[in-house]
Amino acid sequence: MTRTTPTRPAHVEAVFPELAAYRGRTTRLHPRPERPGMHESHVGGPMLWPAGEPWPVCQEPHQPETEGYVPDDVRSARAAGVWPRSRPWPGSGAPGEDGSVPFVGLAQFFRRDIPALAAGPDGADLVQIFRCPCNHGPYLERRYHLLWRRAAETERAERFLAAPPEVPMLRWEHELPEPCVLHPEEQAALPPWQTAASGSTQA
């Protein structure tokens, strides 16, 4: 897989040695459209989810909508390279009037794939990230759900969820993440120059 991080034209710390104290590490994920498995780090792929465990749902009130996109329409349109057609929002236009809307799985990251990933609570080494597909409040806020797991413990489950529950409509077509595999690449990182300058002044 070809990396997209260009070679630096100069070694910054060789020119400004005082920046070495501010060096950190970051990871570029390099997502590429593909069909990842549940045991891989990915964006938009199947979550490692024990079959008997309830899928997370958002139980807050949601903003009413007038139109949206059916997830299967979005997938078909992407496969054909066209834009999906929108549909009128069914019923009263209020998503999840009973207060239950399934979260959409955005991504999951294993520390075995991304060594720089921060450790979770109680030794957790797998993080799963979800987003409510609907808008909240007058400022159209979003709601996210983050779950930490121990990967080895979770992978010992007898059965796994074949397909998560899915909302019948999405407000925007891009709310359905495109499945991507990841090709993590660790890089040295330096803070913005204002941060380093502020630290030098305070020192």
Side-chain angles (χ1 to χ4, degrees):
M1 200 280 298
T2 302
R3 306 293 187 186
T4 55
T5 305
T7 302
R8 298 296 142 188
H11 185 26
V12 177
E13 292 177 27
V15 181
F16 302 102
E18 62 273 21
L19 292 179
Y22 299 95
R23 186 196 315 122
R25 299 295 294 175
T26 190
T27 302
R28 298 197 67 191
L29 297 178
H30 296 293
R32 298 290 188 273
E34 208 171 304
R35 297 183 64 84
M38 69 174 66
H39 298 278
E40 298 176 86
S41 295
H42 59 66
V43 172
M47 294 292 193
L48 181 66
W49 198 270
E53 186 174 320
W55 187 261
V57 297
C58 181
Q59 297 182 337
E60 296 185 32
H62 301 99
Q63 285 291 318
E65 306 288 357
T66 57
E67 62 179 353
Y69 297 87
V70 175
D72 281 343
D73 288 351
V74 175
R75 295 186 184 99
S76 298
R78 288 177 180 173
V82 298
W83 191 266
R85 65 185 182 92
S86 62
R87 298 173 183 257
W89 204 277
S92 65
E97 283 189 303
D98 62 352
S100 297
V101 171
F103 276 91
V104 175
L106 293 184
Q108 69 176 17
F109 305 122
F110 291 85
R111 288 195 73 194
R112 66 191 179 212
D113 298 328
I114 308 171
L117 182 68
D122 300 322
D125 56 354
L126 163 62
V127 62
Q128 297 173 317
I129 305 169
F130 304 83
R131 180 177 63 200
C132 176
C134 303
N135 292 317
H136 298 74
Y139 301 106
L140 308 182
E141 303 106 354
R142 308 309 303 272
R143 296 291 184 268
Y144 291 84
H145 177 69
L146 186 147
L147 177 65
W148 282 99
R149 298 181 183 275
R150 294 187 186 92
E153 181 179 295
T154 307
E155 288 176 322
R156 287 197 294 268
E158 293 184 3
R159 294 184 302 111
F160 297 99
L161 187 67
E166 192 168 68
V167 290
M169 295 278 282
L170 300 164
R171 178 60 187 91
W172 304 104
E173 65 86 24
H174 64 260
E175 297 293 344
L176 187 68
E178 180 75 13
C180 291
V181 297
L182 306 179
H183 302 270
E185 177 188 18
E186 287 198 38
Q187 291 282 317
L190 293 169
W193 70 267
Q194 298 95 331
T195 304
S198 174
S200 299
T201 302
Q202 293 175 1

